[in-house]
């Protein structure tokens, strides 16, 4: 299986592009002369992100989503953001955080049971081969899941709160038990938002994506806008896989979504039992960390 993708514009180039349509984001086929070889199945021999296969692991994944969908209310998300934005839990470097993920296996992921640091490096190394000049994208891949140090609870796909829960969310049936589903302020298409308001103005379900985005922004990262967009929305599968919630997006969101579509293919299909030699690649990624982040970050 081969997936191709071309370089979309970012930075000042993105500002010059207008009239972006949702259809464009599904036509990102690969840079000329570059072909990304995707895996055919996940670590369990099944299709990627198949939530219907009967297995003990899938039962655990579904229970995780059931509890998430019931408890992620608008008020809950606001409380979590207020609590964690203090960034008073720890002080450490990006690489120290990567090493912490040696202890983490994501219970919301139906595809892989390897420690998360391997997933980060597999994603980053595969992107690095196909996009050698986009060092910000290599680093974004390395850090996109660092928010999983929040594995106090675990977090899966993300979705907006404060508006109706779209049927394209995984295991949508469990949202009927979420109190917001019965709140007239939150159960319309726009909810508390307005069309085209921009995702920056939308409150997302609380999880590792939003947490890492918060950490990066508050610690003064110099990653470009597409990198931060990838970090914040890479688990927003209802948007970038199913095309839901696009009515809330701004023009800049549509430009950044092009990069997220590229990234997602690597995030998903680079999962492998073939492990990366961490010490061998560490010097390269440490140089990128030094370029885009301070030596120590507040978490």
């Amino acid at each position: 299986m081969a997936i191709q993708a071309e370089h979309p514009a970012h930075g000042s180039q993105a500002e010059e592009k207008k009239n972006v349509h949702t259809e464009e984001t599904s036509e990102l086929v690969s840079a000329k002369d570059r072909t990304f070889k995707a895996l055919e199945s996940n670590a369990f021999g099944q299709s990627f992100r198949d939530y219907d296969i009967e297995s003990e692991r899938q039962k655990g994944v579904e229970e995780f989503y059931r509890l998430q969908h019931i408890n992620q209310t608008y008020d809950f998300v606001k409380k979590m953001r207020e609590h964690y934005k203090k960034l008073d839990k720890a002080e450490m470097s990006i690489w120290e955080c990567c090493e912490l993920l040696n202890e983490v296996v994501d219970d919301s992921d139906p595809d892989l049971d390897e420690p998360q640091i391997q997933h980060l490096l597999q994603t980053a190394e595969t992107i690095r081969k196909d996009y050698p000049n986009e060092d910000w994208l290599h680093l974004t891949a390395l850090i996109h899941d660092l928010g999983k140090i929040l594995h106090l609870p675990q977090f899966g796909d993300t979705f907006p709160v404060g508006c109706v829960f779209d049927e394209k969310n995984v295991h949508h049936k469990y949202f009927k038990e979420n109190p917001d589903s019965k709140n007239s302020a939150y159960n319309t298409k726009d909810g508390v938002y307005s069309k085209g308001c921009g995702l920056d103005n939308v409150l997302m379900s609380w999880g590792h994506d939003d947490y890492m985005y918060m950490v990066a922004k508050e610690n003064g990262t110099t990653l470009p806008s597409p990198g931060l967009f990838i970090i914040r929305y890479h688990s927003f599968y209802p948007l970038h896989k199913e095309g839901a919630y696009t009515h809330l997006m701004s023009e800049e969101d549509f430009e950044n979504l092009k990069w997220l579509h590229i990234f997602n293919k690597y995030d998903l299909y680079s999962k492998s039992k073939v492990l990366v030699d961490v010490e061998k690649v560490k010097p390269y990624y440490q140089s990128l960390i030094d370029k885009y982040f301070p030596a120590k970050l507040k978490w």
Side-chain angles (χ1 to χ4, degrees):
M1 177 178 179
I3 295 176
Q4 300 182 328
E6 65 185 12
H7 288 277
H10 67 90
S12 59
Q13 291 177 323
E15 295 171 3
E16 296 173 5
K17 287 208 161 189
K18 300 298 179 182
N19 300 320
V20 181
H21 299 289
T22 309
E23 294 79 13
E24 291 179 343
T25 64
S26 63
E27 295 173 355
L28 288 175
V29 226
S30 144
K32 305 166 183 172
D33 304 326
R34 290 193 195 124
T35 303
F36 168 50
K37 300 293 183 183
L39 302 177
E40 295 294 338
S41 61
N42 63 22
F44 305 99
Q46 302 156 356
S47 300
F48 284 96
R49 287 182 59 84
D50 189 337
Y51 292 90
D52 299 320
I53 296 291
E54 284 293 327
S55 70
E56 286 306 310
R57 182 172 179 82
Q58 295 299 76
K59 290 176 183 177
V61 170
E62 180 167 350
E63 175 61 10
F64 157 80
Y65 275 101
R66 185 184 74 83
L67 294 174
Q68 182 210 42
H69 289 2
I70 292 172
N71 295 312
Q72 286 271 2
T73 65
Y74 189 80
D75 288 340
F76 170 81
V77 172
K78 288 176 68 176
K79 288 177 183 177
M80 289 297 99
R81 287 183 60 83
E82 285 297 317
H83 176 70
Y84 284 100
K85 78 175 184 180
K86 299 171 186 175
L87 299 180
D88 58 358
K89 307 296 181 282
E91 186 171 321
M92 59 183 162
S93 69
I94 290 287
W95 193 262
E96 286 173 325
C97 187
C98 288
E99 291 178 332
L100 280 181
L101 292 192
N102 271 319
E103 307 300 321
V104 173
V105 174
D106 185 359
D107 285 347
S108 72
D109 189 342
D111 297 327
L112 194 66
D113 59 357
E114 296 295 339
Q116 284 294 300
I117 192 170
Q118 283 297 324
H119 167 54
L120 301 182
L121 287 170
Q122 288 169 355
T123 306
E125 284 291 279
T126 311
I127 288 178
R128 182 181 171 190
K129 290 175 183 176
D130 286 358
Y131 291 85
N133 299 321
E134 304 290 347
D135 66 358
W136 65 269
L137 191 55
H138 312 164
L139 181 58
T140 297
L142 179 73
I143 70 172
H144 76 279
D145 272 347
L146 289 192
K148 287 181 179 178
I149 59 167
L150 276 179
H151 253 240
L152 309 162
Q154 295 123 341
F155 301 96
D157 291 5
T158 56
F159 47 86
V161 293
C163 60
V164 71
F165 299 115
D166 195 282
E167 292 183 359
K168 291 178 180 177
N169 284 294
V170 171
H171 293 308
H172 176 269
K173 60 187 177 183
Y174 295 122
F175 282 117
K176 65 183 179 182
E177 300 178 60
N178 186 305
D180 285 0
S181 294
K182 303 173 182 66
N183 189 323
S184 60
Y186 304 143
N187 61 17
T188 63
K189 184 175 181 179
D190 291 338
V192 299
Y193 313 112
S194 59
K195 184 176 180 180
C197 65
L199 294 180
D200 277 350
N201 297 307
V202 173
L203 203 60
M204 299 294 295
S205 57
W206 177 248
H208 72 275
D209 309 61
D210 214 23
Y211 175 63
M212 188 59 210
Y213 170 80
M214 184 186 296
V215 169
K217 286 277 287 185
E218 294 299 318
N219 283 281
T221 183
T222 55
L223 280 173
S225 177
L228 291 171
F229 189 90
I230 288 168
I231 291 170
R232 194 174 199 182
Y233 302 114
H234 68 270
S235 298
F236 192 5
Y237 277 87
L239 170 68
H240 61 75
K241 182 181 179 183
E242 304 294 343
Y245 300 105
T246 55
H247 64 288
L248 299 175
M249 293 172 64
S250 66
E251 291 294 333
E252 183 179 7
D253 290 332
F254 278 108
E255 288 295 332
N256 286 336
L257 183 58
K258 296 177 181 181
W259 279 108
L260 179 52
H261 271 283
I262 288 174
F263 171 82
N264 177 249
K265 298 183 192 316
Y266 293 86
D267 184 22
L268 184 61
Y269 297 114
S270 63
K271 296 173 182 179
S272 172
K273 288 291 186 180
V274 179
L275 304 185
V276 175
D277 185 333
V278 177
E279 291 305 313
K280 182 177 180 180
V281 301
K282 179 179 177 180
Y284 173 71
Y285 289 103
Q286 185 61 58
S287 72
L288 299 189
I289 292 168
D290 294 341
K291 178 178 178 179
Y292 289 102
F293 281 93
K296 293 285 186 179
L297 285 74
K298 294 180 179 180
W299 301 78

